[in-house]
Amino acid sequence: MVAVRNAQNHMKLGNIPEKGAAISKAILIIENGLRASLDREVGGQIAEGLDSLYEYMGRRLVTA
């Protein structure tokens, strides 16, 4: 994911505001794109698993 790579680069360079913006963008992609597009009724266990994965990814990004 480009936003995560950007955040890593900004972190290495010490650009804290830019790092925060890149992480926020990655979280928005996960929440408003990936998680929002899941159809839990049709996707069943796969959708539930992906939802859990996306939730985990969001939590990790917040920690970063």
Side-chain angles (χ1 to χ4, degrees):
M1 182 181 292
V2 174
V4 173
R5 277 195 302 265
N6 286 340
Q8 289 173 329
N9 290 334
H10 289 303
M11 191 173 359
K12 289 177 187 173
L13 297 172
N15 299 330
I16 303 305
E18 292 89 352
K19 177 195 88 163
I23 288 174
S24 294
K25 182 175 181 178
I27 290 170
L28 285 173
I29 291 168
I30 291 168
E31 292 297 322
N32 297 332
L34 298 172
R35 282 187 88 189
S37 67
L38 288 176
D39 187 340
R40 288 165 188 84
E41 290 181 24
V42 174
Q45 287 182 327
I46 293 173
E48 291 296 325
L50 286 171
D51 186 55
S52 295
L53 174 63
Y54 298 153
E55 181 182 358
Y56 170 77
M57 292 167 60
R59 281 184 288 153
R60 295 295 297 169
L61 286 167
V62 169
T63 301

